[in-house]
Each structure stands twice: as C-alpha cells, then as structure tokens.
Amino acid sequence: MNNRLPIYEIERDIIARLQGDRRLILSAPTGSGKSTQVPQMLLKHGLLGDGQVVVLQPRRLAARLLAKRVASELGVKLGDEVGYQIRFENVTSAKTKIRFVTEGVLLRQMIDDPKLKGVSALIFDEFHERHLYGDITLAQALGLQEQYRPDLKLAVMSATLNAGELEKYLAPCVTLSSAGRTFPVEVEYLPHRLGLNAPPVWEIAAGEFSRFVNSGGEGDVLVFMPGGFEISQTIEAVRSTREAKGFIVLPLHGELQPKDQDAAVARYDRRKVVVATNVAETSITIDGVRLVIDCGLARIARYDSNRGINTLLIEKISQANADQRTGRAGRTAPGTCVRLWSRAEHDERVPHEMPEIRRLDLSEVVLTLKAAGVEDLRKFRWLEKPDEISLTHAEELLEDLGAIGHDQKITPVGRKLLAFPLHPRYARMLLAAQEYGCVHQACLVAALTQGRDLLLRNCGKEVDSAREDLLGEKAGSDFWILMRAWSYAFNHQFRIDACRKLGIHAVTAKQVGPLFDQFLRIARDEGLDTRPNEVKDEALQKCILIGFSDRVARRLDQGTLRSELVHGRRGVLARESRVQHSPLFVVAEIREVEGRDREVNTILSLATAIEADWLRELFPDDIKREVQVQFDAQQKRVLAAELLRFRDLALAAKRIDPPPAEAAARLLADEIIAGRLLLPNWDHHVEQWLARLDLLCQQCADLQLPAITDEDKKHIIAELCHGAVSFKDIKEREVKPVVMSWLSQSQRELLDKHAPERLTLPNGRTPKVNYEPGKVPFISLRIQELYDVNQTPKIALGRVPVTVHILTPGMKPIQVTQDLASFWREHYPKIKSELARKYPRHLWR
C-alpha cells in the first residue's frame, strides 16, 4: 500500500541523486509520505551500508510517532531496526538503522562525536519551520561532510519550502519536487471579527463542530488549539454537545503520555475528534479527517526581552501555518476548514513566521556552538546570520553566568549548563540551588517567570488590602509574594472567585503547575535533589542572584525608585515591588513602558533584595576598587572618591580629600581648554607670544624652535594647574612665565629677535606688531609716523613682510599695504591735498 504514496513517483531520482551528489533538497506536500518512506528507501536500496540514517524532527511527539509508524510498516519491534531518541528518552539499540531524533539530540551527539561514526545519512525533515537548532545542525553537518565525511549523505525535506536561498547555501546540490495528491478543501471564515465580549474560543469551536455534524458532515474532526489548557477546555465543551454522542474525543500534544498520544492517531470504528496543538500541522498523519477547526493561535517561541529569556506565548499563526493546517482536511477526501477569525483578519496576518534565529535569544545556541569548538561566531556558516547585537548580548550574558570566560571559550560551568534543556539563566540557577538545598523552590521561581503576569495590576484598594493581609506587605523578594499567591490559588483549586479576591490571573496560575512539574522533572533527571526542604530565604535569594547577575541594580536615592543597573543601564523599580526597602537588588524582568508624555520608561520588576557581601562571596573576580575623579561644575572643583564596583555598577563610594594631584590638574586643564573655565591671566599677551612662536616655527624651520601643538598646550595648562583642586586655586596664577618656559633662554632670544613684540623703524618709531595665528603680522600707524619709512619692514629672517595699516591723524584707515614704496610713489600724491584739507593742523610733506 505504501508504494502508492506520491513520494514513490520520484523514488528512483531520490536514490540516484543521493548516491551521486550526496546533497538533496526534497519539496513534497504533507501526506506525500516523505517523512516515513524516504528513510526506508535509503535502507532498501543499500545507501546506509553498515551505518544508519538519522531523521531530524522539530518536535518530540513527531519523532516518536514516526518511528513507531515506520517500525510497524517494516514489521519490526520499535527500538530494534527502527527507533527514536528525544530528550531523556532513547529507544534505540545496536541494531537500529533508522533513528528519528529531535534537533538538539543530534547537535549534542556531534559535540561528543564530531565525525558521527556509524551515521551514513542525515535527513532534515520539516525544514521550513526554520528551528534554530535545525539551522545550526545543518551548518555543522555541511562542515563535517566537506572536511571529514565526504561519504555522508544529506537531505533537506519540507512540505512548503522556498528553495532558492537554501540551494545557494547547500551548493552543489539538486532539488526534487513531489506534487503529492490532495483533495480540495473549502475554507470558511467567521462573518465578522470577534469582539472583546466574545465567548471563549473553545466554545466557538464546539459550536462549529455541532454545526458540521448537524449539516450532515462526514469523517473525523481535527481542532487546533494553542496549549494543554485550551485543549482540555475544548474537549469538555465538545463532549457537552448533543452532537458529540458516538464520537471519541481525544487530546494530542507533546506533554501527554505516549499511550495517550498513540490513542489520538489510532484508527477506530467510531468517528473521532482530535484536539491538538500545532504538532499536528506537519509530519503526523491523522487519517480520516474531513473537518479542520482552526483557532488560529499557537504557542510560539520568542525572545522576551522583559524577562531576558525565550518564552512560549500564545500568538496568531501566519498565513502559511494556516494553510498547513487546512491541508490536513484533504488527505483522503474533500474537506472543510473553518477558521475562527474573519477574512479581513486573515489578510492582516504575516505571510510566514520568521525564522527562530531572528526571534529567539541566542545564548543557548551560542553555548552549544562554543562546546562544539566554534570560537569565532562571526565566521560561522550561518544559513541566516543573526544580527550583531543579538550575538553580543548572548556572549555578554554567558560571560556573566560564568559559562564562557573572557577568552570567549566555554568553561566547566558552561558544560554543566548544557546538560539542562533550559535557558542558561535557569540552568545556572538550578545548579546553584543544588548547592544551597533549594531546588524545589527554585523550580517554582522558574515556572513563575515563564508565562504572563500572575498578579493583575490596578485592582483597587480592596484587593490591595487583601493582598497585604494574605501575602504580606514586605518581602525579601517579589517572588515570595508570587509563590504565596500561587499556593493560595492552588489550595483553592484555581477557582475564579477565590483568585479574583487577590487579583490573581486564574488561567496563568493554572498554567504554572505543569511548568513547575516540568522543571522538577528536568532537575530530577539531572540528578538534583528536588525534595521540598525547609531553607532560609537567603539561600534562594542567592540562587536568583546567580541566575540574574546581569540584572543587579542599585537605588540611586531613597527619595525615588530610580535605579542604576550593571552594563550602564538605568530604570525605575516598579511601584508594586515589595523590596523597595532594599538599596541593592536583582530584577528578573525589565520592560519598557511608554508614558503619557510619550517618554519611554524602563520598569524593573520581579525584584529580589541582595547584600553587597553576597556579591563579594559569589563573584569575587567581578568586584573592583577604583578611584574616580571628576570635576564638579557647580562647585568648580575636582572631587574624588574610592568606588567599590560590581562589574561596572558602583556599589559604594568613599570621598578622597585631597584628590590625586595629577588627575585633578588634568581635569582642571580639560575645563580650561573646553572654555568652561577662563584664566584671567591667560590674556592677549600670552596669545601674542604663542602666535609669534607659531610664525617662526612655520617660516623659519632652520631656527629649530619647538612648536606648541594642541597636545603641548594641554600639557602646559596642566602644569599651570598642578597642585590645584579648584578654580579658586588657579584663577590668580601667573600664566606667561609658565608658557615662556617652553623655550630655553637662547630660544627666547631668537624669538624676540626674529618675531619681536615691537619693530624699530628707520625714523625711530617702535610700533607694536600684532600677530594672529595663520595670518600675516601687521602694524598700525598714522601716516605722519611713517614719514621717512620708504620700504616695508620685514621679520622672520627677512622672509615675512609686515602688513602696514596706514591711518589718518584721526585714526581712520587710509590703506593696508605690504608695499610702502609704491604707496608713497603712486597713492600718496593723489590723496595728500584731500588729507591736508581735512587735517590742516598736521604736517604734510
């Protein structure tokens, strides 16, 4: 029967291409049989030799169900010739030839065994989903094939794949396509948008199920919901309808026990309704589905910059994902897909979900690459290169966590973190919790940070009062309040009325429980003690600090909630925080909120009080003492303090008086050079002396006088300021002697001779020479004072003619010239009579 599947139409091409080219892109729609049949083709045609084919699946559920399906088709026991390996579960043996795995499993195998001994082929299935680890594993596989394993066969498969960029990346390679066989599916939308007061989505889904059955619809039903909670609510809503009589209603998601997952895809002699997450979009085939009811939502992995972690939050799916879901209704006969949103809303959705490399925090994958020996991430063979900011932030966080060193290489702590399938923050926190005996509590802290806010804001005075009575007014950590609130909700079976009393989000509280259990299970699997021991608050506070050391903050003053964090950031501690009494704290959440004036405020929440001594104890290498010297513009003086810093965050300051002399002089000099402080005695005479020296340095280099550069000028001003700490100390200091000391006595004599302050003219006059940087020197004289001066005077070894400003007896300009002879010969005769008439009392020759 399987050889009737569409994929067999190109079986011969698949085998030929993998034998010859070793690389293949295979595009085939859902239901074509590619996930189950291509591995069998490789086995049947002898392409595996003594090795095995490893098939990468994005999801654990798909890996297990596909392995079970292939084992059944080959008539072998699961775990023998066909097996699967997912996190914490390895159902394979020495006989295994076809092994289905999740992406992280293979990447870790490549770290432990870089040459992948015993593996003949790798198949990357459902690659269109562009999971981060799939991208990284493919890059590593290409490098392995090129350097050590030219015999390794690589196939990339997908239902909907834009192969253009991938072809370039894998070149040389070939692309094959299978058209597949599907039946038409009619797509229906809701007539209008759902308003704020619309019934829950599971009730709408149950209503569409009833309408389908009443209209004579045949076959099974597949309902897509975003998570376990919504699935359970949907099952309850469907079962409560009259139309559900005779139907089997089953859930399908990754957290179910294997037997329950198997039940959802099994065949029955009765009709069934399967309520699934997006695990049923691809890979897994559920035969007989004629109706798909799509809520249009999914839990999508995305980096939450507020919490600094990757999260799974419910979001609208893309148009491409909606099309994938629609196709599940046309596998065996014409079908229908009811989308629980309007056509207009569909057009507003994004066409495709962006690749994980662009929407996830990269710290986990960077740590994995470091473990694989990739030292320069900028030179890594990225299919789609992440932005530089994301890479830098990932490296910075891992260094703060102690997972990589200053040399950017992985540390022993980093290798321990790799064992946990968690964000490095929480892996580090759980490692620390083992030392402090509070793993159980740390798991609850981790669970409380994953979803939406547990406590609602702005609930009114009555709720605030009830919270203070039942949860406490102050605490060493905001997590203590959340833990008490969650325990309260748990003890009251998450009832809406009980949760409303304390302003607890009941749905969020209910979702914490499974996450808590999941963290406990992970910790137990890694050998940690998860018993709920009694421990001091300080122990858990230290664990939170270790996981969020890059979020240490200090209150700037006691009058406000303004705070400063490591890495040069600032923010405001949330008003609802219960640790406002602590000057030093660490925050698990940072969010930006736009205020009424459109100003963006950085809010720090989920705070935990810490002590400076804990930083010295836990991060001794990050504690530094340094002297900080700065100029106080208001006091016009230099101030100095010895700072105690954690990384770049100042924890405490002790004033130093007097400040270090050299640093004080340098700061005062900077203020003078910038023009913010004016030295009264740095006057025109000083500037003239500097201009005279500059002239000779430019025009008479053979005199070998030392020029004063801007840097030299700073040095001279710093010398002027030596021993001073304030403007008061320097404002009366003599300047010219210090400036003139730049030259020796003999050099000063050369300066006075060749760039004199005054010239001696043939008629005995001694006018003052005016010097300006970059301009020709000049003298200014009344015309009578120039009688008997027939040649233009020159300075600088006779190389620079001095400009002469000729004035009337009333000091008004007549002419500016560098050619006195020409003036007396040609110009003076023309103006003499007019000047004599205006100034009859003066001598006119």
Side-chain angles (χ1 to χ4, degrees):
M1 177 179 174
N2 286 337
N3 59 12
R4 298 177 186 169
L5 289 168
I7 197 66
Y8 277 97
E9 295 172 1
I10 57 171
E11 177 183 10
R12 184 176 300 175
D13 291 334
I14 292 171
I15 298 305
R17 292 304 186 181
L18 283 177
Q19 282 178 326
D21 300 298
R22 310 284 181 181
R23 294 181 185 177
L24 171 68
I25 297 174
L26 178 57
S27 179
T30 299
S32 62
K34 63 184 183 303
S35 300
T36 57
Q37 303 310 305
V38 172
Q40 296 183 60
M41 292 176 187
L42 300 187
L43 178 63
K44 181 177 69 174
H45 289 278
L47 269 66
L48 302 182
D50 295 332
Q52 63 178 204
V53 56
V54 177
V55 186
L56 277 82
Q57 287 293 327
R59 297 181 178 87
R60 293 172 298 167
L61 187 151
R64 192 187 68 79
L65 290 179
L66 287 170
K68 184 179 178 184
R69 177 73 173 262
V70 173
S72 173
E73 291 179 0
L74 290 177
V76 299
K77 179 183 176 185
L78 183 62
D80 286 348
E81 286 83 354
V82 181
Y84 67 93
Q85 188 176 355
I86 60 178
R87 190 67 174 164
F88 305 125
E89 193 175 355
N90 186 354
V91 184
T92 63
S93 67
K95 298 180 182 179
T96 301
K97 301 293 288 182
I98 299 175
R99 178 163 58 107
F100 290 85
V101 303
T102 44
E103 295 156 335
V105 168
L106 180 60
L107 189 53
R108 288 170 190 272
Q109 182 182 346
M110 297 174 87
I111 294 172
D112 297 334
D113 177 15
K115 294 187 179 179
L116 282 184
K117 292 186 292 290
V119 176
S120 300
L122 295 178
I123 297 176
F124 294 78
D125 198 12
E126 306 302 349
F127 196 75
H128 68 278
E129 295 191 21
R130 293 297 308 281
H131 284 232
L132 181 55
Y133 275 97
D135 283 12
I136 300 304
T137 308
L138 178 58
Q140 291 290 81
L142 289 173
L144 172 61
Q145 187 190 57
E146 292 169 354
Q147 296 178 41
Y148 306 110
R149 293 285 312 280
D151 61 306
L152 185 66
K153 300 165 187 65
L154 302 178
V156 179
M157 306 195 307
S158 176
T160 55
L161 189 64
N162 183 359
E165 287 300 315
L166 192 58
E167 283 180 346
K168 293 179 185 177
Y169 183 70
L170 293 175
C173 75
V174 292
T175 299
L176 296 177
S177 297
S178 170
R181 289 193 295 270
T182 57
F183 292 88
V185 179
E186 182 183 353
V187 178
E188 298 179 4
Y189 293 90
L190 295 185
H192 51 74
R193 296 173 187 262
L194 294 174
L196 295 176
N197 297 321
V201 67
W202 46 83
E203 291 185 9
I204 300 173
E208 291 299 326
F209 163 76
S210 297
R211 184 170 68 87
F212 171 75
V213 175
N214 287 330
S215 65
E218 298 179 353
D220 295 337
V221 179
L222 174 61
V223 184
F224 283 100
M225 286 288 160
F229 173 75
E230 293 80 11
I231 286 175
S232 62
Q233 295 294 109
T234 305
I235 289 174
E236 186 178 331
V238 169
R239 284 176 176 166
S240 64
T241 64
R242 289 182 306 163
E243 291 77 14
K245 185 177 181 180
F247 279 81
I248 301 172
V249 186
L250 299 165
L252 179 60
H253 56 83
E255 301 307 316
L256 290 174
Q257 292 297 316
K259 62 180 180 60
D260 296 322
Q261 295 173 352
D262 294 341
V265 297
R267 296 179 180 179
Y268 300 92
D269 55 5
R270 296 161 57 192
R271 296 171 72 183
K272 68 180 177 182
V273 177
V274 177
V275 188
T277 60
N278 54 0
V279 297
E281 278 182 21
T282 55
S283 297
I284 301 167
T285 298
I286 305 174
D287 292 323
V289 172
R290 299 286 296 277
L291 172 68
V292 167
I293 300 174
D294 185 3
C295 73
L297 303 171
R299 289 192 180 276
I300 296 175
R302 200 174 297 278
Y303 178 61
D304 185 341
S305 58
N306 295 347
R307 299 171 175 86
I309 57 172
N310 292 329
T311 61
L312 281 169
L313 297 180
I314 296 176
E315 298 182 14
K316 294 177 181 178
I317 62 171
S318 68
Q319 294 178 5
N321 288 111
D323 291 341
Q324 286 276 10
R325 294 180 176 187
T326 297
R328 310 310 276 173
R331 287 275 291 108
T332 56
T336 303
C337 175
V338 178
R339 293 174 175 172
L340 304 185
W341 62 94
S342 68
R343 177 70 214 209
E345 289 173 289
H346 183 75
D347 293 338
E348 294 168 2
R349 296 186 177 221
V350 295
H352 300 274
E353 181 60 76
M354 72 172 64
E356 285 189 345
I357 191 111
R358 291 170 52 197
R359 57 182 164 89
L360 290 185
D361 170 45
L362 300 180
S363 54
E364 291 176 74
V365 78
V366 166
L367 184 61
T368 305
L369 288 174
K370 296 289 184 183
V374 178
E375 294 187 6
D376 191 345
L377 294 172
R378 280 76 187 165
K379 294 180 180 178
F380 183 70
R381 189 177 190 159
W382 301 99
L383 173 55
E384 183 168 340
K385 192 172 183 179
D387 64 79
E388 179 61 26
I389 293 176
S390 298
L391 275 181
T392 301
H393 283 176
E395 291 175 321
E396 189 177 73
L397 173 59
L398 291 173
E399 193 172 331
D400 287 343
L401 293 174
I404 61 175
H406 297 306
D407 59 359
Q408 298 298 299
K409 293 183 179 179
I410 192 168
T411 64
V413 168
R415 294 196 180 276
K416 287 183 180 178
L417 298 187
L418 275 177
F420 292 85
L422 300 172
H423 189 281
R425 286 188 188 280
Y426 295 106
R428 186 69 188 91
M429 187 169 72
L430 291 183
L431 277 182
Q434 175 69 8
E435 297 177 30
Y436 288 99
C438 56
V439 174
H440 190 272
Q441 292 88 338
C443 286
L444 180 53
V445 166
L448 286 165
T449 60
Q450 303 302 304
R452 302 192 185 278
D453 291 342
L454 181 67
L455 293 177
L456 302 172
R457 293 187 175 93
N458 304 318
C459 295
K461 293 182 178 179
E462 189 175 334
V463 169
D464 290 342
S465 177
R467 282 182 183 173
E468 288 183 12
D469 291 342
L470 292 172
L471 306 180
E473 185 177 355
K474 289 185 179 181
S477 171
D478 290 330
F479 281 115
W480 295 187
I481 303 300
L482 294 183
M483 292 164 81
R484 293 168 195 164
W486 184 78
S487 295
Y488 171 88
F490 177 81
N491 292 331
H492 288 81
Q493 292 83 45
F494 306 105
R495 293 199 321 271
I496 297 295
D497 58 335
C499 290
R500 188 179 290 123
K501 180 180 178 181
L502 294 187
I504 298 171
H505 195 291
V507 173
T508 300
K510 195 166 186 177
Q511 291 171 340
V512 168
L515 287 169
F516 184 23
D517 292 338
Q518 182 181 3
F519 280 115
L520 288 171
R521 185 171 64 254
I522 290 170
R524 278 195 300 271
D525 290 337
E526 290 303 324
L528 304 187
D529 181 4
T530 59
R531 290 174 296 179
N533 304 317
E534 286 291 330
V535 293
K536 293 182 178 179
D537 287 352
E538 179 180 312
L540 189 52
Q541 286 170 276
K542 287 182 177 179
C543 294
I544 295 170
L545 167 59
I546 290 169
F548 289 88
S549 64
D550 61 317
R551 300 277 186 85
V552 172
R554 178 182 64 86
R555 291 274 295 281
L556 290 173
D557 53 68
Q558 291 301 310
T560 70
L561 298 175
R562 294 183 305 117
S563 306
E564 188 174 34
L565 295 92
V566 292
H567 301 312
R569 297 165 294 176
R570 290 202 171 191
V572 178
L573 182 61
R575 294 188 179 279
E576 64 268 17
S577 175
R578 303 299 176 93
V579 296
Q580 295 182 10
H581 58 284
S582 176
L584 201 61
F585 54 93
V586 61
V587 295
E589 184 173 305
I590 300 176
R591 66 183 189 274
E592 291 186 341
V593 178
E594 187 175 78
R596 294 178 182 175
D597 54 359
R598 297 198 170 243
E599 182 180 350
V600 176
N601 298 311
T602 302
I603 307 298
L604 314 177
S605 53
L606 290 183
T608 298
I610 61 171
E611 302 289 340
D613 288 342
W614 299 354
L615 296 173
R616 295 188 187 94
E617 171 195 340
L618 299 171
F619 307 97
D621 295 338
D622 291 331
I623 297 292
K624 300 285 187 294
R625 290 185 181 275
E626 65 178 50
V627 174
Q628 184 182 72
V629 185
Q630 59 186 20
F631 181 77
D632 186 306
Q634 194 169 12
Q635 299 183 51
K636 293 186 178 181
R637 68 177 291 115
V638 176
L639 303 176
E642 182 184 62
L643 296 181
L644 179 68
R645 287 189 181 276
F646 170 67
R647 296 172 187 162
D648 61 348
L649 177 67
L651 301 178
K654 180 182 178 183
R655 182 165 176 171
I656 300 174
D657 210 2
E662 186 175 339
R666 187 173 61 251
L667 282 175
L668 287 170
D670 289 343
E671 293 300 308
I672 293 169
I673 292 165
R676 291 185 289 268
L677 290 181
L678 300 177
L679 287 174
N681 292 326
W682 190 292
D683 54 16
H684 178 71
H685 298 288
V686 174
E687 292 293 344
Q688 283 288 289
W689 191 90
L690 292 171
R692 290 164 60 202
L693 176 60
D694 182 60
L695 175 74
L696 289 188
C697 289
Q698 290 186 36
Q699 301 295 330
C700 306
D702 45 330
L703 294 178
Q704 297 184 338
L705 295 179
I708 297 179
T709 65
D710 289 342
E711 198 59 37
D712 296 329
K713 192 173 181 181
K714 290 180 183 178
H715 178 78
I716 292 170
I717 295 173
E719 188 178 338
L720 269 168
C721 298
H722 188 71
V725 298
S726 70
F727 180 61
K728 182 180 178 182
D729 298 336
I730 60 173
K731 68 177 182 178
E732 299 300 332
R733 287 188 177 179
E734 288 296 325
V735 172
K736 194 171 183 180
V738 177
V739 175
M740 291 175 63
S741 68
W742 182 257
L743 301 180
S744 66
Q745 180 59 38
S746 60
Q747 289 170 332
R748 289 200 293 271
E749 290 173 359
L750 287 174
L751 178 68
D752 290 340
K753 180 179 179 181
H754 298 295
E757 288 188 58
R758 290 182 175 274
L759 282 174
T760 301
L761 300 179
N763 63 6
R765 299 282 183 180
T766 57
K768 180 181 177 181
V769 183
N770 294 282
Y771 296 86
E772 293 181 22
K775 295 183 179 180
V776 177
F778 70 92
I779 57 175
S780 298
L781 291 140
R782 285 173 292 194
I783 195 168
Q784 284 82 6
E785 295 171 324
L786 286 169
Y787 288 163
D788 301 322
V789 182
N790 297 318
Q791 297 296 323
T792 302
K794 295 181 179 180
I795 60 173
L797 296 175
R799 297 170 186 170
V800 178
V802 175
T803 300
V804 181
H805 291 213
I806 304 172
L807 309 175
T808 68
M811 302 302 287
K812 294 182 180 180
I814 296 175
Q815 190 166 340
V816 176
T817 183
Q818 281 190 324
D819 189 353
L820 272 178
S822 175
F823 170 76
W824 291 121
R825 185 177 61 253
E826 298 177 8
H827 192 63
Y828 181 65
K830 298 176 182 177
I831 62 172
K832 177 181 175 181
S833 58
E834 177 65 21
L835 289 171
R837 186 181 64 78
K838 285 186 176 181
Y839 302 99
R841 297 182 181 182
H842 292 269
L843 175 66
W844 299 99
R845 292 185 182 178

